[in-house]
Amino acid sequence: MPKTSAARSFPPLLIASCVFLFISGFFLSRFPDVEGASYASYGFNLLIALPAFIAIVRQFGAGRGIAALAAVSVFGYLIEGFGVATHVPYGEFYYGDPLGPTILGLVPYLLPLSYVPLVIGAVAVVSGTGTMLRRIVLGGLLLVVIDGVLDPGAASLGFWIWPGGGPYYGVPLSNFGGWLISGLIASALVTWIGGRRLIDRPLRPGLLDSLLISMVLWLSVCIFSGLVFPALLAAALILLIGRRRAQLVRSLRSLPRGSVDAVPGS
């Protein structure tokens, strides 16, 4: 008997990861002050990030894949550090203790583990067709929508703090303008470094997996923190990402057997 379409699109390990992280979201929301939580953040973020990191190296090839990871990581440190120090472009905020030690008292060391997979996933959702400019713009806009889930949930856990508050669950609107700026630049970095490898090569579904399981985690946090609209937004994003993943799986299955792995660096 052939496997079902759902089983092909969403392998058991991915489904198990989503279930595990949804349950974890409950404990993060209800027991945020557990001793050692900051160290657990490293483990959680590493496990969430691994699928995207592996997939981008396979999609771009080792050299370009590592370059993309390094470029977005460095950019993330720079713009977040600048943002904390100057309040530009996000507004006044700072990182809380649950994310662990910071660089120069500004940005947590683990930032790339949480930020870079979001960028990779957003680029993968919008890639495949259209001009480079269109894909960069759509990737940046999608990251702003993703932050509509992330920021309220993270603020509720004390991951970062907005001293002045704001109209969107305590988050100022300036934050989303900042995310648009940073999202456009980060999307441009991945899109430019990837080049034709995002168009000529079949996109790997694994590029989406870190973003998918991350959104499941934040869906859980938003539900158990009583954040109704962010939870609905997370559910909509999960449906979008899941649909895109299924589309990529179908595209790969339509190719001759072994053709994807036969492409150097694919």
Side-chain angles (χ1 to χ4, degrees):
M1 291 290 290
K3 294 182 179 179
T4 65
S5 176
R8 293 184 181 119
S9 300
F10 304 96
L13 182 58
L14 178 59
I15 295 172
S17 298
C18 289
V19 172
F20 173 73
L21 286 169
F22 187 87
I23 295 171
S24 299
F26 168 79
F27 289 99
L28 282 173
S29 303
R30 298 300 173 87
F31 307 101
D33 298 323
V34 174
E35 186 177 354
S38 61
Y39 297 102
S41 294
Y42 285 91
F44 271 106
N45 279 279
L46 179 60
L47 290 174
I48 291 173
L50 274 177
F53 286 4
I54 294 170
I56 198 170
V57 169
R58 297 184 72 188
Q59 182 75 34
F60 289 1
R64 285 179 181 257
I66 293 172
L69 294 175
V72 180
S73 296
V74 171
F75 168 70
Y77 279 132
L78 290 176
I79 194 166
E80 291 290 307
F82 185 78
V84 173
T86 68
H87 310 157
V88 177
Y90 304 104
E92 183 180 1
F93 82 105
Y94 59 91
Y95 286 93
D97 294 335
L99 291 181
T102 58
I103 299 175
L104 301 177
L106 297 173
V107 182
Y109 286 100
L110 60 71
L111 175 70
L113 296 179
S114 58
Y115 180 64
V116 178
L118 303 181
V119 178
I120 293 171
V123 169
V125 170
V126 303
S127 288
T129 59
T131 65
M132 179 180 288
L133 178 60
R134 176 181 179 273
R135 288 180 279 125
I136 290 170
V137 170
L138 289 177
L141 290 172
L142 181 55
L143 282 164
V144 174
V145 177
I146 289 168
D147 189 53
V149 175
L150 190 81
D151 250 304
S156 73
L157 299 178
F159 285 5
W160 43 86
I161 293 91
W162 300 94
Y168 184 72
Y169 296 93
V171 180
L173 297 181
S174 59
N175 171 68
F176 300 102
W179 263 75
L180 180 59
I181 293 170
S182 63
L184 290 172
I185 296 172
S187 294
L189 286 171
V190 174
T191 303
W192 176 70
I193 293 172
R196 302 298 302 181
R197 289 162 177 80
L198 287 169
I199 300 174
D200 295 341
R201 295 178 177 178
L203 286 176
R204 293 185 172 274
L207 293 166
L208 296 166
D209 289 354
S210 293
L211 177 58
L212 178 62
I213 59 180
S214 178
M215 285 298 99
V216 170
L217 172 64
W218 289 111
L219 169 65
S220 176
V221 169
C222 290
I223 288 174
F224 294 114
S225 299
L227 305 172
V228 177
F229 182 78
L232 292 174
L233 193 57
L237 285 167
I238 289 167
L239 290 175
L240 172 66
I241 299 162
R243 181 177 180 181
R244 177 63 168 151
R245 192 185 200 285
Q247 181 186 53
L248 294 183
V249 171
R250 287 195 299 269
S251 296
L252 287 178
R253 293 190 66 248
S254 68
L255 298 173
R257 185 179 295 273
S259 62
V260 177
D261 291 324
V263 178
S266 66

